[in-house]
Amino acid sequence: MMPIQDLLHRVRWDSEFGKGNWVLGYFDRVTGAIVRVPFRSVRFPEGDKFSVETTEADGTVHRVPLHRIREMWHDDRLVWSR
């Protein structure tokens, strides 16, 4: 299985591979559920190699450690899961 860092970088930097609708699913410790966010709302803080930032629909920003990412979806098809 491809490490999540490699998949995130490929979606981010390979324009051909990154086409389509990508969704990232991470484990939310507060709700105990998987939260899915569109990849376009994911930001990569400069200098931080261990987490990403997501912006929810209400504008709330969450810092998500890479180890809490549980799944990646592409055009409604699960392509990576932990």
Side-chain angles (χ1 to χ4, degrees), residues 6 8 10-11 17 20 33-34 43 48 61-62 64 71 75:
D6 293 349
L8 293 173
R10 182 142 188 228
V11 172
F17 184 81
I34 301 292
R43 301 289 176 254
D48 186 350
V61 176
H62 298 280
V64 178
E71 52 191 35
D75 294 335

Side-chain angles (χ1 to χ4, degrees), residues 27-57:
F27 179 73
D28 185 329
R29 292 179 299 154
V30 175
T31 64
I34 301 292
V35 176
R36 293 185 182 148
V37 294
F39 191 77
R40 66 181 173 277
S41 71
V42 175
R43 301 289 176 254
F44 296 82
E46 191 172 328
D48 186 350
K49 297 179 182 183
F50 303 106
S51 66
V52 295
E53 289 181 348
T54 64
T55 305
E56 304 297 327

